[in-house]
Amino acid sequence: MPEGPYRWFVVAELVLAAVTFVALLFVVAPYGGRHGRSGWGPTVPARVGWIVMEAPASLAFLAFYLLGAHRADVVPLLFLLLWQAHYVQRAFVYPFLMRSGSRMPVLVMLLAILFNLLNAWVNARWISEYGDYPSSWLTDARFWFGLVLFAGGYALNVGSDRILRRLRKGGTGYRVPYGGGFRYVSSPNYLGEIVEWTGWAIATWSVAGLAFALYTVANLAPRAVANHRWYRETFPDYPPERRALVPYII
Ligand code: NDP
């Protein structure tokens, strides 16, 4: 890791992961309809919020990536492709597919933009400037293991979000989801997201990737527990064997 400001940005992301985890044990972030409440200031339609807060994760990442000396190397380009596969979907596809009339506090949106800029800087600068990824990295087991985790997590995340969307085909409101990862846990979309970024951390074998994976756990694990509690309180016939986030365990 280079000396200077970059190192402090990575440390900042690690500290943010710890602070986020502790804070979310006490407060459920109100960015979705189910956990939305008043008292968080002005709001925007959730669809708008998702586009505005996630677009920097794709666009700023690309801009930061292009500053790097290794921007034309094969392995960094592959990492760029992986990142964009997730964030183009999240920022420019998912918001247009979502069936939600919920609203998002502007404050939550602004905080997410700040995080996404920090995270984009930390990860993009690592893969195209400070990290060392010769072509021989393509034969390293860490690269392939991470890639498989990333792809599996991505499929679980997108597939679970699709199952949730189908629940709204017949109208608004909330229903009990079945099938896919919902057989085992209440928030397989979050589990997929966590597996994805753990795969990224392993494939890039970097503290930058580790910081993002830890932040994802810090953000989504408490929320998965809150979702699970909400399902159990809302639906008396909720499948009792289903766990919150990790099959058979949590
Ligand atoms: P949720 O699972 O809470 O909701 C996803 C969508 O499905 C919303 O439109 C919601 O509607 C709808 N929905 C949820 N449950 C039901 C149900 N039982 N019946 C009908 N509709 C339902 O996910 P989030 O909004 O928290 O997150 C969305 C995506 O963003 C996920 O893929 C998640 O992994 C990702 N994400 C990633 C983060 C990270 O740190 N990397 C942080 C946050 C999210 P409504 O809005 O009306 O509740």
Side-chain angles (χ1 to χ4, degrees):
M1 175 111 39
E3 295 290 338
Y6 177 80
R7 180 180 294 223
W8 291 107
F9 283 121
V10 178
V11 170
E13 186 161 339
L14 287 165
V15 170
L16 204 60
V19 171
T20 300
F21 186 73
V22 174
L24 293 183
L25 290 179
F26 298 99
V27 184
V28 184
Y31 59 78
R34 188 168 21 188
H35 303 296
R37 2 180 232 292
S38 56
W40 285 75
T43 59
V44 290
R47 195 187 310 278
V48 174
W50 278 101
I51 298 169
V52 174
M53 76 182 182
E54 299 295 313
S58 168
L59 302 178
F61 187 96
L62 179 62
F64 298 155
Y65 176 92
L66 290 174
L67 297 175
H70 306 296
R71 62 182 173 268
D73 293 0
V74 173
V75 178
L77 278 171
L78 279 174
F79 286 141
L80 173 67
L81 203 70
L82 288 186
W83 186 279
Q84 295 296 345
H86 177 90
Y87 274 112
V88 167
Q89 200 277 345
R90 173 68 68 234
F92 306 117
V93 178
Y94 173 79
F96 293 99
L97 297 176
M98 65 195 288
R99 293 186 169 127
S100 171
S102 65
R103 297 184 68 85
M104 180 185 293
V106 172
L107 180 65
V108 170
M109 190 180 78
L110 292 178
L111 290 174
I113 291 172
L114 285 181
F115 171 77
N116 278 332
L117 288 173
L118 172 69
N119 192 38
W121 180 263
V122 163
N123 279 279
R125 294 295 286 158
W126 180 261
I127 63 169
S128 80
E129 175 73 16
Y130 302 123
D132 180 21
Y133 297 110
S135 300
S136 58
W137 189 247
L138 292 176
T139 57
D140 193 297
R142 287 166 292 185
F143 176 77
W144 285 102
F145 182 54
L147 192 66
V148 168
L149 280 184
F150 187 93
Y154 182 87
L156 180 61
N157 176 258
V158 173
S160 307
D161 280 340
R162 189 184 308 123
I163 290 176
L164 288 176
R165 263 197 312 277
R166 288 197 184 132
L167 294 176
R168 292 256 165 95
K169 257 188 174 165
T172 54
Y174 294 94
R175 294 179 177 76
V176 177
Y178 291 98
F182 289 101
R183 277 192 288 263
Y184 306 100
V185 292
S186 295
S187 297
N189 48 351
Y190 297 173
L191 177 61
E193 185 105 22
I194 289 169
V195 170
E196 220 180 317
W197 296 116
T198 303
W200 170 268
I202 293 171
T204 61
W205 205 249
S206 62
V207 183
L210 177 67
F212 185 28
L214 288 176
Y215 179 85
T216 306
V217 173
N219 196 10
L220 294 182
R223 193 167 177 84
V225 170
N227 283 351
H228 190 61
R229 195 182 310 124
W230 177 90
Y231 273 121
R232 288 198 152 169
E233 287 168 2
T234 309
F235 300 100
D237 56 345
Y238 195 68
E241 71 287 353
R242 204 178 283 186
R243 302 291 173 156
L245 183 65
V246 183
Y248 309 111
I249 300 173
I250 302 170

